[in-house]
Structure formats: C-alpha cells, structure tokens
Amino acid sequence: MSATAVTVGGEDLFGNPVSSAEPGSLGAVNGFAEAMLAYDARAADVITAAASRPEHGLLNLCAGMLFMLMESPQGRVRAGPFLARAHAAELNARERRTADFLGAWMEDDIPRAVALGEAIALDWPRDLIVAKLVQYLAFNLGEAALMLRVALRSLDAAPEVAAAHAAAAFGYEECHLLADAERSARRALDLDEREPWAQHALAHVMLAEGRIDEGARFMAAASDGWDGLSSFMATHNWWHLSLFWLSQGRADAVLEAFDARCWAMDQTYSQDQVGAVSLLARAEMAGIDVGDRWTGVAERIAERGLDVEQPFLALQYLYGLCRARRPEAPALLEAIRRRAAAAPAFARDAWAGAAAPAAEGIAAHLAGEPARAAEALSAALPHLALVGGSHAQRDLYEQIRLDALITDGRWSAAQLALERRRAFDPDGTPLNRLLGRAYAALGLPAQAAEARARADATAARWSIQA
C-alpha cells in the first residue's frame, strides 16, 4: 500500500468510516452516494473525481462499481484501473472489504460477491451503497428473499432515508408482499415526494393489483420529477407509465412516450435498450403499428456484439435482432446456446433451464413457427425467475407465449391464459379484445360479447374508437 496522501479519517454522510476525509474527496464520495441512491444522473461525476484523485481508494471503488453497472463486458474492463488504484491506496477495513466485493463481482463470482456484500451490510448497515448493489445482484439472480433481507437491514439502520424505504418496497414487491410494498413506498414518498424508486415500486404494486387507471394517474403526476434522473430510471419509469397506457388502449400516448422518453436518452445502455424492446414488443402484441421503430433499436443492439453478460438482457437483445431481421440474430442465438452449455454452476439453471429454451422460443416465434415457440416457452416459463428481472419485466415472455398460442390457433389454451391475466388487468382493452376473439373462435358468443364490451368501455373512457 502507498503511504502517500494519507489524511485523517472521517465519516461519510451516512456515518460510515472513510479512510480519507480530505474535503474535496469526501464531498465527491458523498455526492456519489446521494446521487446513486436517488438515481440522479450526477452519479457519473464520480468518474471524473476518481480519475483526478488516484490516491483516494474509496472514490476509485465508487467509480469501479458504477462502471460494473454498465452491464456489459466493457464495463468490467473500464472498472479495472479504478480497482487497481484502490488496491494501491490506504484503505480502512470497510473499504478493503468493499474492494474484495468489487473484485469478486468483476470476476463474475457472483455468489462470493453477494456473500461479501451482505457481510459488509451486516457490519456497516448504514452502507446503503453496498446494500443497494447486493440487492441489485440478488435481483439478477431471481433471489427475491435476499433482496428483501438486505433492504430491511439497511432500513432498520437508516429509517430516516427515503431510499432505504424504497429499496424495502421493491424487495417486498418481488416477494409478492404487495401491501407491505405499498406501505414502504408511501413512507418513502412521505419523506421525499420525488423518490423515483418508490414511485417505481408503487407502479409495480398497482400493475400487479390491476389498478390501471390509478397507476396511470399516479405515474403521470410524478413524471414532472423525472428530468435529471439517470437514463435508466427516467426511461424505466416512463416504461411503467406506458404499460398502464397500453392497458387503457392509448396507442398514441404509448408511441409518443416511446419516441420522446423511452428511446430518447442513452441508446447505448443495456436497460434503455431492453426497455425499448419490451415496449415495442408489447405494443405490437396489443395490435399497435409501431412503424419502423425496430430498425433504430436493433441497430444499437447490434453494436453490442455477442453480449451474453446477463441472461435477462441477452433474451431481449435477441428479440430485437430477430424482430428487425438483423443478420446478427443467429450468431447471438448460438452464443446463448454456448453460454448455456458452459455457464458456471451458480448460473447453470438460469442459462440452460430458462434462457436457452426461451431464446429458442423467441427465435421460433419471430421466424413464424408458433407451435415450436409455444412449446419452448412453456418449458422455460416455470424457471424464468432465475434469469433476473422483475415480475413485470418477465411478463413479456408470458405474452410472447400467448401470442404464439393465438397465432397457432390454439384458442382453448389462449382463453385460459387470457382469463388468468384478467385477474390483474380486468378491463384492459387489448386483453379483452383478444378474449373476444378467443370466445368467438370457441363458439361462445355471449362470452365474446362480454369481453368486447369490457374493451369498448375502457376505450370509450379515453375517447378511442374500439
């Protein structure tokens, strides 16, 4: 370790020990923590701050962790120099263990990274950044209980922090504890009415409970506060609002949101890309003509190359490439197959049991082979939680399977799936129009008329011709 540039230690804004309390560096660390928890775009300022202070270990660790959130092989490469600088710096015990956590994450030893991160969160429960990152890694593993556990420990230690309540809210929601999720989200909003992750968690709850009109009103009212958020958070909250609009049959609003909000920020970022894929796919399955929008999205995805960093992301990259008929699609499908065959033990079930059959189903459906698509997706769906993503995000694959059943004329199976969906989208315009088609095909005219009437009533509320 270097013996240079050592200053008296201090504390960050949450009371965690830092090895160097030099005002400029500590201010940059605190600014990063505050911005990251708030999903503020200014979190990226830590990169410039760390580059100008190579001797400050914690600042360089913050920059390295931010680069890992790029969710790409390039992110790991760019994080490397910052971790090396941190190792050469004077670090306290918490910072050394954070360096170990980042190193395990960069080596793709995710179980070790999670264990190290959770141990840090136990010993320093007000380290809300590491707790947030452990929740993120758990989310990618489909480990909802771990998401909740680490969030609740942070919340016990930092009940005055809105972001801690928001993290707990999302953990509760992913555990299907919807009443608890809403309570925590609303407590976060009591503390900070603009807290975007709490708004996001509450949107999840309202979608899951079929509170479509309420959800649309809530998110639309909150949207004025999304300027200045990170690309992911802003586009993702607009994505959630668009899901409510899809249910209401508001095609023009969905396409306007896509153009002006969902696909208008960082088009190179993983989450912006998969959000765009998911929204366009859902819009088309709802009967909306999306024009040539697939072209631009697929061009950006193609620039990633054979990116199989995460199964959840890779599946949606594949959808975008296949849907746009990009020549790169077969190579990405083959890369997913190879990854499934060679995945490490902790990820084998996610890749081989879920991602690989889902990929085959996506490719088959977009190649006009609905029977094969439905079979492959039916095999994948029981295991898809393992690939990561939220309930709302993974619902895309349920919808693709449903679209395959309908395309294949399997109306009895489609009717059952549609009625199950009506539990959380009771008056949805696209859903009930599909139910009308299903019941008509099955020789049940009264039920078909009831379904069409529900669709027409929702459409009429928004002055849309059914």
Side-chain angles (χ1 to χ4, degrees):
M1 288 186 182
S2 169
T4 63
V6 178
T7 56
V8 177
E11 293 183 343
D12 68 12
L13 78 165
F14 297 120
N16 298 301
V18 296
S19 58
S20 173
E22 182 270 317
S25 298
L26 184 58
V29 167
N30 287 338
F32 168 74
E34 195 170 39
M36 183 176 168
L37 291 174
Y39 289 89
D40 191 303
R42 289 173 293 185
D45 292 348
V46 75
I47 296 168
T48 301
S52 67
R53 294 174 173 86
E55 78 288 349
H56 195 283
L58 181 56
L59 197 53
N60 280 270
L61 289 173
C62 292
M65 291 186 289
L66 187 65
F67 273 122
M68 286 301 292
L69 292 173
M70 285 179 63
E71 302 180 321
S72 73
Q74 291 75 28
R76 185 174 289 106
V77 172
R78 296 182 71 179
F82 292 95
L83 179 60
R85 290 177 194 142
H87 278 306
E90 211 48 63
L91 302 176
N92 64 25
R94 181 178 75 97
E95 294 161 348
R96 285 195 298 273
R97 288 167 62 180
T98 302
D100 292 341
F101 163 75
L102 176 57
W105 185 7
M106 290 172 61
E107 293 166 6
D108 201 32
D109 189 347
I110 303 303
R112 181 167 175 262
V114 167
L116 289 167
E118 192 172 13
I120 293 168
L122 275 171
D123 289 342
W124 293 279
R126 288 180 66 87
D127 189 335
L128 303 186
I129 295 301
V130 168
K132 183 77 170 175
L133 293 173
V134 173
Q135 191 182 57
Y136 163 81
L137 294 176
F139 175 71
N140 289 340
L141 294 171
E143 292 284 353
L146 174 55
M147 289 176 62
L148 180 58
R149 184 169 73 238
V150 72
L152 289 180
R153 286 171 180 160
S154 294
L155 181 58
D156 286 343
E160 80 286 2
V161 179
H165 290 273
F170 192 49
Y172 278 127
E173 189 279 330
E174 288 300 292
C175 286
H176 295 284
L177 297 168
L178 300 184
D180 292 322
E182 179 158 359
R183 173 180 48 78
S184 288
R186 292 198 182 279
R187 177 57 183 146
L189 294 171
D190 287 341
L191 292 168
D192 180 359
E193 65 181 1
R194 295 166 69 92
E195 215 301 321
W197 199 242
Q199 294 165 354
H200 157 266
L202 198 48
H204 272 274
V205 171
M206 291 175 176
L207 187 70
E209 293 183 340
R211 295 154 60 185
I212 302 301
D213 291 352
E214 181 185 0
R217 287 191 301 270
F218 169 74
M219 292 299 275
S223 65
D224 286 344
W226 299 341
D227 292 338
L229 297 181
S230 69
S231 177
F232 158 68
M233 192 73 263
T235 60
H236 191 61
N237 271 353
W238 278 103
W239 179 87
H240 272 283
L241 176 51
S242 297
L243 296 192
F244 292 122
W245 285 340
L246 273 175
S247 176
Q248 292 172 334
R250 300 171 68 181
D252 290 345
V254 170
L255 294 179
E256 182 180 350
F258 179 89
D259 294 337
R261 302 293 185 172
C262 296
W263 190 236
M265 294 186 69
D266 186 356
Q267 296 181 353
T268 68
Y269 187 46
S270 56
Q271 294 293 335
D272 290 47
Q273 290 177 357
V274 300
V277 167
S278 175
L279 187 54
L280 287 182
R282 292 165 192 253
E284 286 194 319
M285 287 185 282
I288 298 172
D289 181 356
V290 303
D292 65 353
R293 290 175 174 84
W294 281 110
T295 301
V297 174
E299 284 176 355
R300 288 298 195 175
I301 293 173
E303 293 169 0
R304 307 191 75 86
L306 303 180
D307 187 339
V308 289
E309 188 78 2
Q310 293 183 22
F312 170 74
L313 301 174
L315 290 174
Q316 292 178 83
Y317 298 152
L318 178 67
Y319 192 105
L321 295 177
C322 288
R323 176 60 186 82
R325 304 290 190 267
R326 292 284 306 198
E328 299 87 353
L332 182 57
L333 177 59
E334 186 57 36
I336 292 171
R337 291 168 178 155
R338 290 196 303 270
R339 177 72 165 148
F346 80 88
R348 193 165 298 139
D349 288 343
W351 280 102
E360 301 293 347
I362 288 168
H365 187 48
L366 293 173
E369 302 175 43
R372 189 163 73 88
E375 180 180 2
L377 286 162
S378 294
L381 284 175
H383 313 289
L384 268 176
L386 297 173
V387 308
S390 67
H391 304 305
Q393 288 174 313
R394 292 194 304 271
D395 186 56
L396 173 65
Y397 308 109
E398 297 270 5
Q399 293 191 45
I400 297 169
R401 175 182 174 271
L402 175 58
D403 198 48
L405 292 173
I406 292 170
T407 304
D408 200 37
R410 294 166 61 180
W411 289 109
S412 183
Q415 178 271 332
L416 291 174
L418 286 163
E419 285 293 359
R420 285 193 295 270
R421 297 184 67 79
R422 204 155 66 84
F424 57 86
D425 192 15
D427 300 314
T429 299
L431 185 147
N432 280 292
R433 284 177 178 158
L434 287 173
L435 265 174
R437 290 177 58 196
Y439 283 123
L442 292 167
L444 295 166
Q447 287 72 24
E450 290 173 3
R452 287 193 294 267
R454 289 191 296 268
D456 291 346
T458 299
R461 287 207 305 274
W462 303 102
S463 300
I464 296 169
Q465 184 176 357

